[in-house]
Short mmCIF file of all heavy atoms in Angstrom, two decimals:
data_model
loop_
_atom_site.label_atom_id
_atom_site.label_comp_id
_atom_site.label_asym_id
_atom_site.label_seq_id
_atom_site.Cartn_x
_atom_site.Cartn_y
_atom_site.Cartn_z
N THR P 245 -8.03 6.54 23.54
CA THR P 245 -7.36 5.65 22.60
C THR P 245 -5.90 6.14 22.50
O THR P 245 -5.65 7.34 22.33
CB THR P 245 -8.03 5.76 21.19
OG1 THR P 245 -9.41 5.33 21.33
CG2 THR P 245 -7.32 4.94 20.14
N ARG P 246 -4.98 5.21 22.60
CA ARG P 246 -3.59 5.59 22.41
C ARG P 246 -3.25 5.59 20.90
O ARG P 246 -3.68 4.73 20.15
CB ARG P 246 -2.68 4.57 23.11
CG ARG P 246 -2.42 5.04 24.58
CD ARG P 246 -1.65 4.03 25.40
NE ARG P 246 -2.57 2.86 25.61
CZ ARG P 246 -2.38 1.67 25.13
NH1 ARG P 246 -1.34 1.41 24.38
NH2 ARG P 246 -3.19 0.67 25.37
N ILE P 247 -2.52 6.58 20.45
CA ILE P 247 -2.11 6.70 19.04
C ILE P 247 -0.66 6.28 18.97
O ILE P 247 0.21 6.77 19.67
CB ILE P 247 -2.27 8.18 18.55
CG1 ILE P 247 -3.65 8.72 18.91
CG2 ILE P 247 -1.98 8.25 17.08
CD1 ILE P 247 -4.84 8.00 18.31
N GLY P 248 -0.44 5.26 18.04
CA GLY P 248 0.96 4.76 17.98
C GLY P 248 1.55 5.01 16.61
O GLY P 248 0.86 5.09 15.63
N VAL P 249 2.86 5.16 16.59
CA VAL P 249 3.55 5.31 15.31
C VAL P 249 4.42 4.06 15.17
O VAL P 249 5.32 3.82 15.98
CB VAL P 249 4.38 6.59 15.26
CG1 VAL P 249 5.20 6.63 13.96
CG2 VAL P 249 3.53 7.84 15.39
N HIS P 250 4.10 3.29 14.14
CA HIS P 250 4.91 2.05 13.87
C HIS P 250 5.28 2.00 12.44
O HIS P 250 4.49 1.61 11.55
CB HIS P 250 4.04 0.85 14.19
CG HIS P 250 3.53 0.78 15.59
ND1 HIS P 250 4.29 0.25 16.64
CD2 HIS P 250 2.40 1.23 16.18
CE1 HIS P 250 3.61 0.39 17.77
NE2 HIS P 250 2.47 1.01 17.52
N ALA P 251 6.51 2.39 12.16
CA ALA P 251 7.00 2.34 10.74
C ALA P 251 7.14 0.88 10.37
O ALA P 251 7.39 0.02 11.25
CB ALA P 251 8.32 3.05 10.66
N LEU P 252 6.92 0.59 9.13
CA LEU P 252 7.04 -0.80 8.67
C LEU P 252 8.27 -0.89 7.75
O LEU P 252 8.40 -0.11 6.79
CB LEU P 252 5.80 -1.25 7.94
CG LEU P 252 5.73 -2.60 7.32
CD1 LEU P 252 5.95 -3.69 8.35
CD2 LEU P 252 4.43 -2.83 6.55
N GLY P 253 9.13 -1.83 8.00
CA GLY P 253 10.30 -2.04 7.15
C GLY P 253 10.27 -3.42 6.47
O GLY P 253 9.24 -4.06 6.36
N VAL P 254 11.42 -3.85 6.03
CA VAL P 254 11.53 -5.07 5.19
C VAL P 254 12.42 -6.07 5.96
O VAL P 254 13.41 -5.70 6.57
CB VAL P 254 12.15 -4.70 3.84
CG1 VAL P 254 12.39 -5.91 2.97
CG2 VAL P 254 11.26 -3.66 3.12
N ASN P 255 12.10 -7.36 5.78
CA ASN P 255 12.95 -8.38 6.27
C ASN P 255 14.08 -8.64 5.19
O ASN P 255 13.88 -9.24 4.23
CB ASN P 255 12.16 -9.66 6.45
CG ASN P 255 12.98 -10.81 6.94
OD1 ASN P 255 14.19 -10.87 6.70
ND2 ASN P 255 12.34 -11.80 7.62
N GLY P 256 15.22 -7.94 5.45
CA GLY P 256 16.27 -7.91 4.49
C GLY P 256 16.85 -9.27 4.11
O GLY P 256 17.05 -9.55 2.90
N GLU P 257 17.02 -10.12 5.09
CA GLU P 257 17.62 -11.44 4.81
C GLU P 257 16.69 -12.25 3.89
O GLU P 257 17.17 -12.88 2.90
CB GLU P 257 17.78 -12.23 6.11
CG GLU P 257 19.11 -11.88 6.80
CD GLU P 257 19.14 -12.39 8.18
OE1 GLU P 257 18.59 -13.49 8.47
OE2 GLU P 257 19.71 -11.71 9.06
N GLU P 258 15.41 -12.24 4.22
CA GLU P 258 14.50 -13.00 3.43
C GLU P 258 14.47 -12.47 2.00
O GLU P 258 14.46 -13.26 0.99
CB GLU P 258 13.09 -12.93 4.03
CG GLU P 258 12.16 -13.99 3.54
CD GLU P 258 10.82 -13.88 4.20
OE1 GLU P 258 9.96 -13.10 3.73
OE2 GLU P 258 10.62 -14.58 5.19
N LEU P 259 14.44 -11.11 1.85
CA LEU P 259 14.38 -10.55 0.52
C LEU P 259 15.63 -10.88 -0.29
O LEU P 259 15.58 -11.24 -1.43
CB LEU P 259 14.16 -9.05 0.64
CG LEU P 259 14.02 -8.30 -0.69
CD1 LEU P 259 12.68 -8.67 -1.35
CD2 LEU P 259 14.04 -6.80 -0.48
N LEU P 260 16.77 -10.77 0.37
CA LEU P 260 18.06 -11.10 -0.34
C LEU P 260 18.10 -12.56 -0.77
O LEU P 260 18.53 -12.88 -1.88
CB LEU P 260 19.23 -10.81 0.58
CG LEU P 260 19.62 -9.34 0.69
CD1 LEU P 260 20.52 -9.08 1.91
CD2 LEU P 260 20.28 -8.82 -0.55
N ALA P 261 17.60 -13.46 0.09
CA ALA P 261 17.57 -14.86 -0.23
C ALA P 261 16.64 -15.12 -1.44
O ALA P 261 17.05 -15.83 -2.38
CB ALA P 261 17.13 -15.69 0.94
#
Side-chain angles (χ1 to χ4, degrees):
T245 300
R246 271 171 291 113
I247 308 299
V249 176
H250 302 275
L252 176 62
V254 176
N255 180 334
E257 275 166 36
E258 197 179 85
L259 184 67
L260 282 164

